[in-house]
Amino acid sequence: MLWVAIAGLIATAVAVGLAGRRVLFLYRLATSGQPAPERIEYAKEHAGAEIKAQLVEVFGQRKLLKWTPSGTAHFFVMWAFFILLTVYIEAYGAIIQGAITGHSDFHIPLIGTWPVLGFLQDFIAVACLLGLVAFTAIRIKNSPKKLGRGSRFSGSHLGGAWLVLFMIFNIIWTLFLARGAAAANGNFPYESGAFVSLAIGKVLPHSELLEQIALLLHIGLMLVFLVIVVNSKHLHIFTAPLNVLFSRRPDGLGPAQPMRSNGKVLDFEEADPEVDVFGRGKITDTTWKGFLDFYTCTECGRCQSQCPAWNTDKPLSPKMLILDQRDHAFAVAPYLLAAEKEKESFSEDVLALLDKPLVGEDGVIHPDVLWSCTNCGACVEQCPVDIEHIDHILDMRRYQVMIESSFPSEAGVMLKNLENKGNPWGMSEMKRAEWIEELDFEVPIIDEKMPDDVEYLFWVGCAGALEDRAKKTTKAVAELLHIAGVKFGVLGPMEACTGDPARRLGMEFLFNMLAQQNIETLNEAGVKKIVATCPHCFNTLANEYPQLGGTYEVVHHTQLLAHLVEEGRLTPITPIEEKITYHDPCFLGRHNKVYAQPRDIMAKVPGVQTQEMHRCKERGFCCGAGGARMWMEERIGKRINTERVDEALTTDPDTVSTACPFCLVMLGDAINEKKNAGQAKESLEVVDVAQLLIKSIKQG
């Protein structure tokens, strides 16, 4: 057994050395980017949540199990890695003990002969084999050669994935061979429990040489696999727990992050574009957390399969956005990590790669990819390893907008209107209160302090005050609050855009300006509680204004109305005999996890028959307006709002309901197109949930 021990230990030293060298390279490359101290601070401050996240996301595989077949297969394959570590303890113990004593009947102290452990080892190994069969079937069924863009594996490195499956298969069968040979020779630590290994041992011959060769083969394949893992997409085996640890896990997707330079939030009054980092213009502007995202991508394509841009034939694939940056980072890494003297010897090809812009017609990321994103969050929601695609996109947009002044021209009109008039349409601020004249009761306009008897500030929003279809929602909500006896007021001309379109476009400076203006107004008025009808306003006020010192209790109108209905302060009476399908707004649903309340309201309206679209709730499909796309032309592929309305029409609805003014406009436009083409019934309309509720209450 001495030769087995020597060969095994030498192979281990070589493999660990190669793997360690690769890990050091990856660490140096990641830390060549920008610092992200806030990630470490967050992890320290939320230690309890971090432990829960590791248990639920990593060990419990919560996100993967949403995809039942592949999720179940992955669950068993992953747990095989954990449980079969005990087999490697036994294997190394056997070769070391064999070298010292000549006997290889090693077992783990205390638990090493326990039949339950033997059963668990064999069971998880069999489950792993079945998982490999499932993965093989899934990959063949979803082959890009067969499905093209429809395959979630389109663009992935397929050869590496097949190699890994093959290597895992080899590790499992050699595991059973080694254990069976040990059982045949009487060196197996389990007398019962290990049902497969013991069965194999009964058919194998008594042969010390076979046991030694099988043991070395098994360990050798494991070591080769280790080297392959740290050089492939399966690096996520080690980096996924780290990526989950340092990810942002608010309730939902949470806020867009403020701009940072060298780890500190950028102060625009003192910032210098020549010195400070403005977004992401080159790969070294990426934070180490961004590099961790690159390393952790499993290329599973779940993000791609859910992306509204990809599903409507646009060039954006969230997966490829990450992989293209990763491949570029690896290509320029030798230069980035070289000493200054060594850099002079690099070839022109490498230097040309360094000059390649991160975003551009000939860049790593094409502009059409960058500007196709709606910030809907489907990619982040579905990613099993907590990659934050939106953060990458926003940082690249910030550099393009603020440094390169390169963005869709029509969005420039929106920015000018925000800067000059405080709303995206460039309308007079005095028009913000005109909707009040159409009500038969008074709505207080707060120009100084909130009166003591006013409970809520009603944040009307730009669309709610200025867009005709959205104004119907505004009036419905105002009437419902009035009927329920809720005291509220509005800012009227004092209200300005929250800055969401500017921030999501990448113009962080303008967002800061608008946000600080609004926060000053709200604080001077003594506002504590806000109700908003627009999910974009809701998300910005609730999640992003605290970054600038504006902390308020913010609710969406569907949350407040559902509460009032539950309390009996609003009672829908008149039946609305309609079949209704509800569209989840992204910034209400995925970003803030408000799924139940709009549905609860509709459930209380007599006569309403609800029918869900096949993509709903956390897998809901965007209307196409988020990420400032409301103010950009959609020139590539199928229009996202048309795709969503096509889905709605499959339910044969009488009405499409939603809870967002942007969705109201986008879906309404698509429905009108369908009507004009004779593809939808003339009576079909899109309404806010509040409009359904007021209709049932007022007619009663």
Side-chain angles (χ1 to χ4, degrees), residues 161-319:
W162 284 114
L163 174 61
V164 166
L165 290 181
F166 179 65
M167 288 301 300
I168 297 174
F169 169 72
N170 286 329
I171 287 170
I172 298 299
W173 77 257
T174 55
L175 175 146
F176 281 128
L177 178 64
R179 285 162 67 86
N185 292 330
N187 294 325
F188 196 50
Y190 308 102
E191 294 182 0
S192 63
F195 58 102
V196 178
S197 300
L198 290 169
I200 294 173
K202 291 178 181 179
V203 299
L204 289 179
H206 177 85
S207 170
E208 292 289 340
L209 181 61
L210 176 62
E211 181 183 352
Q212 293 167 1
I213 291 173
L215 191 60
L216 268 185
L217 183 61
H218 178 56
I219 290 175
L221 284 168
M222 180 273 293
L223 294 172
V224 171
F225 183 64
L226 172 64
V227 176
I228 290 173
V229 162
V230 296
N231 285 275
S232 72
K233 79 181 189 72
H234 274 71
L235 180 64
H236 76 269
I237 293 171
F238 302 115
T239 58
L242 292 174
N243 212 44
V244 171
L245 175 66
F246 294 116
S247 67
R248 297 186 288 109
R249 278 180 309 282
D251 184 16
L253 298 184
Q257 293 299 283
M259 284 180 64
R260 287 184 168 87
S261 178
N262 297 313
K264 298 179 180 179
V265 176
L266 205 60
D267 183 344
F268 286 103
E269 292 184 3
E270 300 179 359
D272 181 358
E274 297 295 325
V275 177
D276 293 303
V277 175
F278 274 62
R280 192 181 303 177
K282 54 184 183 296
I283 201 68
T284 50
D285 294 336
T286 308
T287 66
W288 60 258
K289 172 58 174 66
F291 278 96
L292 198 55
D293 280 350
F294 301 160
Y295 302 161
T296 308
C297 180
T298 69
E299 303 186 28
C300 67
R302 286 173 176 81
C303 57
Q304 181 174 287
S305 70
Q306 300 299 297
C307 177
W310 183 260
N311 276 276
T312 53
D313 296 324
K314 295 170 181 60
L316 169 62
S317 159
K319 175 184 70 180

Side-chain angles (χ1 to χ4, degrees), residues 344-512:
E344 298 174 3
S345 62
F346 278 88
S347 67
E348 292 184 2
D349 290 340
V350 174
L351 297 177
L353 277 175
L354 285 169
D355 292 334
K356 192 174 186 178
L358 197 54
V359 178
E361 294 286 343
D362 299 315
V364 179
I365 305 297
H366 193 278
D368 287 341
V369 170
L370 188 67
W371 298 111
S372 292
C373 179
T374 66
N375 280 207
C376 72
C379 50
V380 181
E381 172 69 32
Q382 292 299 327
C383 181
V385 291
D386 283 4
I387 291 172
E388 296 159 343
H389 312 77
I390 291 178
D391 289 1
H392 289 262
I393 288 170
L394 284 181
D395 274 344
M396 285 187 276
R397 283 187 173 188
R398 285 163 172 168
Y399 184 85
Q400 292 302 301
V401 173
M402 302 182 70
I403 301 299
E404 297 291 333
S405 296
S406 176
F407 51 90
S409 58
E410 58 271 19
V413 177
M414 179 268 291
L415 291 177
K416 288 179 182 177
N417 288 335
L418 285 179
E419 188 172 0
N420 297 328
K421 295 293 185 179
N423 68 80
W425 289 281
M427 299 172 73
S428 168
E429 63 269 19
M430 300 311 296
K431 288 185 173 291
R432 283 186 175 272
E434 286 185 356
W435 62 272
I436 298 174
E437 299 170 7
E438 300 174 34
L439 300 175
D440 56 7
F441 58 90
E442 290 187 10
V443 175
I445 297 178
I446 298 161
D447 52 8
E448 292 183 359
K449 285 284 184 183
M450 283 267 286
D452 293 336
D453 63 339
V454 173
E455 184 179 6
Y456 284 96
L457 173 76
F458 180 11
W459 187 275
V460 180
C462 301
L466 304 172
E467 205 281 327
D468 289 339
R469 285 167 287 189
K471 279 198 282 188
K472 294 177 182 178
T473 304
T474 302
K475 289 183 286 186
V477 171
E479 288 188 72
L480 288 165
L481 295 180
H482 177 70
I483 292 168
V486 176
K487 297 292 185 181
F488 69 95
V490 298
L491 289 176
M494 294 292 290
E495 185 182 292
C497 179
T498 59
D500 169 81
R503 175 168 245 193
R504 297 289 165 170
L505 183 74
M507 180 52 84
E508 189 75 4
F509 174 76
L510 182 54
F511 164 75
N512 269 258

Side-chain angles (χ1 to χ4, degrees), residues 250-254 306-308 374-382 390 539 583-595 615-623 644:
D251 184 16
L253 298 184
Q306 300 299 297
C307 177
T374 66
N375 280 207
C376 72
C379 50
V380 181
E381 172 69 32
Q382 292 299 327
I390 291 178
N539 183 69
H583 163 79
D584 286 283
C586 300
F587 276 73
L588 184 63
R590 269 190 297 267
H591 282 263
N592 288 282
K593 303 302 182 193
V594 179
Y595 297 117
R615 286 193 278 208
C616 61
K617 297 182 180 177
E618 69 272 3
R619 290 201 193 181
F621 198 77
C622 186
C623 75
R644 187 53 165 167

